[in-house]
Amino acid sequence: MKTRRDFLTQAPLGLLGAMVAGSALAQTGANPAPGTPPPGSPGAFDTAPPVGPKLSTATFVEAEKLAQVSMTQAQREMAVANWPTSMAALLERRTGPRKVALEDGLAPATTWFPAMGRAHVGPAHDRFVPSKVAATPLPAKDEDIAFASVAQLGAWIRARKLTSSRLTKIYLERLKRFDPQLRCVITLCEEHALAQAAQADKEIAAGHYRGPLHGIPWGAKDLLDTAGIATTYGAEPFRHRVPKDDGAVTRKLNEAGAVLVAKLSLGALALNDIWFGGQTMNPWLLQEGASGSSAGPASATAAGLVAFAIGSETQGSIISPCMRCGTTGLRPTYGRVPRTGAMTLCWTMDKLGPIARSVEDTLLVLNAVRGTDPGDGASVAAHLDYDAAASIKGLKVGYFPGWMKDATATDLDRAALDQLRALGLVPTEVSLPDWPYDDLNLLLFAEAAAAFEELTLSGAADQLPMQTPDAWPNLFREARFLSAVDFVQADRLRRKVAKEMERVMTEVDLLLVPSLRDEMMVISNMCGQPSLTLRTGFVEVSQVRSDWAPDPKHPLPKLAKPHRVPYGVTLIGRLFEEGTLGRVGRALEAKVAVAGERPVGF
């Protein structure tokens, strides 16, 4: 490939001499050489020195198949002659000679704001009033303590019926005992955790109580930076990566007095549930994966190995593992929680959020980690309005009638709608246009391929454990051939879809949807709405489930007999109205009364 520098160093001496002579003439004011534009002439496209590989009309015939466009033979001939002087030079940032490295953490200049220019979005007031939890007698069994809610653990610690050190040791012991079955731990932070717990106990004994997370052990999805502790992204090329600084969420939880006990697994580079240590498993059905990519946070929380965890979602990575493992996941509004110091997959979609065993626990954690950070230009200081005692009667819950009737929904989805009606909500039919919403995933694949460009071009992506057609290495490579024009058009479609969601959400206060409905997974993540996924019952499965595309050569195993596993629904809220989701979710959780059941053997 010839670069501009090659052109200048290899050009005929006669041409270089003419260039020098032309420069001298310009300085003396003499007539310029033939072909030299007169003084004051503007620049023009298609005048750069030729660079790039040799092309033929056949090159464009094949490229047209990928882009699904068509040119005439004359247009192809023009492109062959023109491309080296018009388009090829636009790749200089990557191909040289003036290469520019784009460092980790450098976000694109364009930032997505779901509010789309509206000045006032979300609650008018900042209010956080959780339910009052009494410091009941401490259970005799450690496992009963381990499965208690964050709110209950906080009440015991505040009343000094339980120390953070004892609680931390309970979770550390359980992490060591059950991780061989679940493969949910990448790094056990034992020494770090015991030191944090001892500090929490010292502060609480001195009367300095920081709040409901003080002394509470938690686990971090291993894409969240922790100073001096490995953060591996679950991917072999980053296995020995040790950040110098804490991520924003880590720092906020440190300030809240929480105790980090483990870095938990994620599918490599935040896809599904297979990482360099194997597959993270579902504690309710050990023959199947925990789903992903927040596999470790959901699996560990479901098994009572941590009080709560921080997961992340780009498109389904909190919802799906919470469905599989029966945990409660709160995916905040895009921008609600700062992502500084967290692995980037997709700048305009990534969100960090809590995974716990009850609805209110997720709100307690959200309240601690929300806010802005200078490192995340998309983070906003929006109000959070949550009052556990506020009435939910009269709220309109939207639903899509067709979705409730087809195969993606179960009787539990339909029952949840009836239960919300019984709680005083008003079920309201809503609709969206029949558009190709999956086209928006062009944005996801392009951003993800950009985030891991060096990993792909260097060949290091070949070290990832999964090399199937639907795994990142192949998708990153294929994304190089997406059109920049189509990227912009998909971005325009995104705004059009966001306006439709804005219309729907003015008709209702929240939505109830089958959790894994593809359209809403894409739409709500692309448009930034918050979601709350919670267990509402159980179903029976006769076959192991998987996040990966079906492979006829390796069919998923059948179970000897049907197995009972958790099932949940998802509530979608208005932008920054997680408080409404929390109030409705907490009422639904109490009505169905299934959140307390534990996986057998843990």
Side-chain angles (χ1 to χ4, degrees):
M1 179 184 292
K2 284 199 171 189
T3 66
R4 285 196 187 115
R5 184 174 296 162
D6 295 329
F7 175 83
L8 293 173
T9 57
Q10 298 172 18
L13 291 177
L15 175 58
L16 291 175
M19 293 169 65
V20 172
S23 176
L25 287 170
Q27 293 175 9
T28 61
N31 291 329
T36 302
S41 298
F45 294 137
D46 195 25
T47 57
V51 296
K54 184 177 180 180
L55 305 173
S56 69
T57 56
T59 306
F60 286 92
V61 169
E62 296 304 312
E64 288 169 32
K65 296 176 184 177
L66 289 179
Q68 297 186 45
V69 297
S70 181
M71 293 192 291
T72 66
Q73 183 63 16
Q75 290 168 342
R76 294 181 192 119
E77 291 172 357
M78 180 180 288
V80 168
N82 191 56
W83 183 274
T85 57
S86 63
M87 297 294 174
L90 303 181
L91 302 178
E92 185 181 9
R93 194 278 311 165
R94 177 166 58 82
T95 62
R98 295 177 297 179
K99 292 185 179 181
V100 178
L102 303 179
E103 62 272 15
D104 291 344
L106 182 67
T110 303
T111 301
W112 167 250
F113 289 105
M116 298 185 296
R118 287 171 290 151
H120 301 290
V121 176
H125 306 286
D126 212 36
R127 174 178 53 171
F128 192 79
V129 186
S131 60
K132 295 181 179 180
V133 178
T136 58
L138 199 66
K141 295 182 179 179
D142 284 354
E143 68 182 66
D144 294 330
I145 296 174
F147 275 99
S149 69
V150 171
Q152 183 64 75
L153 293 171
W156 285 331
I157 287 176
R158 185 173 189 179
R160 303 186 193 179
K161 294 186 175 184
L162 176 67
T163 65
S164 177
S165 294
R166 181 186 171 192
L167 182 59
T168 299
K169 290 175 183 177
I170 288 173
Y171 282 127
L172 287 170
E173 187 277 328
R174 291 179 64 80
L175 285 160
K176 294 175 187 177
R177 178 156 43 113
F178 293 116
D179 183 57
Q181 294 173 265
L182 299 176
R183 293 188 291 277
C184 61
V185 179
I186 294 182
T187 302
L188 189 69
C189 309
E190 184 168 11
E191 184 177 343
H192 174 85
L194 291 173
Q196 282 194 320
Q199 179 64 27
D201 288 335
K202 182 178 179 181
E203 290 177 355
I204 293 168
H208 176 44
Y209 183 67
R210 299 190 185 203
L213 301 186
H214 202 175
I216 304 294
W218 67 287
K221 184 175 180 178
D222 201 29
L223 51 60
L224 193 61
D225 279 357
T226 43
I229 300 172
T231 301
T232 73
Y233 307 163
E236 188 65 45
F238 300 97
R239 190 168 186 170
H240 303 294
R241 177 182 176 275
V242 180
K244 295 181 180 179
D245 301 307
D246 285 323
V249 166
T250 306
R251 186 173 63 252
K252 285 175 176 289
L253 288 173
N254 286 341
E255 292 167 355
V259 175
L260 177 66
V261 290
K263 302 298 294 294
L264 301 172
S265 62
L266 65 158
L269 303 184
L271 181 67
N272 299 349
D273 51 20
I274 294 177
W275 56 291
F276 60 76
Q279 184 176 30
T280 300
M281 310 310 287
N282 175 11
W284 291 88
L285 178 57
L286 289 171
Q287 295 96 314
E288 71 177 5
S291 190
S293 65
S294 300
S299 178
T301 302
L305 311 189
V306 291
F308 71 90
I310 296 294
S312 72
E313 173 152 328
T314 304
Q315 192 176 118
S317 290
I318 288 176
I319 291 176
S320 189
C322 284
M323 281 289 288
R324 186 76 57 83
C325 298
T327 48
T328 304
L330 178 57
R331 182 193 75 204
T333 304
Y334 176 82
R336 166 72 83 182
V337 177
R339 303 161 300 173
T340 310
M343 186 200 88
T344 297
L345 182 66
C346 186
W347 287 275
T348 65
M349 289 176 66
D350 292 347
K351 299 162 289 290
L352 299 171
I355 293 176
R357 290 183 292 272
S358 73
V359 170
E360 190 162 81
D361 284 358
T362 65
L363 271 296
L364 291 171
V365 178
L366 178 65
N367 192 44
V369 299
R370 66 185 174 110
T372 61
D373 185 86
D376 183 357
S379 60
V380 295
H383 291 154
L384 174 62
D385 186 1
Y386 173 69
D387 183 348
S391 174
I392 60 172
K393 290 184 178 181
L395 292 178
K396 291 184 178 180
V397 54
Y399 70 98
F400 297 85
W403 295 2
M404 285 295 188
K405 296 175 183 176
D406 69 16
T408 61
T410 69
D411 288 342
L412 287 174
D413 293 291
R414 292 179 281 272
L417 194 60
D418 291 336
Q419 287 152 350
L420 290 177
R421 181 186 286 110
L423 288 167
L425 279 78
V426 181
T428 305
E429 293 187 9
V430 294
S431 64
L432 283 166
D434 184 18
W435 291 343
Y437 296 106
D438 280 352
D439 283 9
L440 295 175
N441 281 333
L442 186 153
L443 302 171
L444 188 160
F445 293 135
E447 288 196 42
F452 290 102
E453 177 182 74
E454 181 59 30
L455 194 76
T456 303
L457 299 182
S458 69
D462 296 342
Q463 299 175 36
L464 300 185
M466 290 299 290
Q467 297 289 329
T468 56
D470 59 322
W472 279 144
N474 180 57
L475 296 175
F476 289 164
R477 288 189 294 265
E478 290 183 4
R480 305 288 323 183
F481 299 96
L482 293 171
S483 159
V485 174
D486 286 324
F487 181 93
V488 174
Q489 299 299 65
D491 209 26
R492 296 175 71 198
L493 175 61
R494 184 182 199 172
R495 183 172 292 273
K496 190 176 179 72
V497 173
K499 288 182 177 178
E500 282 297 312
M501 273 299 283
E502 181 181 42
R503 173 190 60 78
V504 168
M505 299 310 291
T506 60
E507 298 172 2
V508 296
D509 296 287
L510 70 161
L511 299 173
L512 171 70
V513 298
S515 294
L516 302 178
R517 183 79 193 193
D518 284 344
E519 296 96 325
M520 187 49 65
M521 196 81 78
V522 173
I523 293 167
S524 62
N525 273 292
M526 284 286 177
C527 299
Q529 282 82 21
S531 73
L532 177 69
T533 300
L534 67 151
R535 189 196 312 175
T536 55
F538 294 85
V539 296
E540 289 191 338
V541 295
S542 299
Q543 182 176 345
V544 166
R545 298 162 294 178
S546 173
D547 293 14
W548 300 98
D551 181 358
K553 296 180 181 179
H554 302 92
L556 294 170
K558 301 281 187 179
L559 300 174
K561 60 180 181 179
H563 195 92
R564 182 173 176 268
V565 292
Y567 186 89
V569 298
T570 293
L571 306 176
I572 306 289
R574 293 173 176 170
L575 296 175
F576 300 106
E577 294 197 11
E578 293 90 348
T580 300
L581 295 182
R583 289 188 291 128
V584 175
R586 185 168 172 269
L588 180 59
E589 177 183 71
K591 187 167 184 60
V592 297
V594 296
E597 187 168 337
R598 309 173 190 171
V600 176
F602 293 91

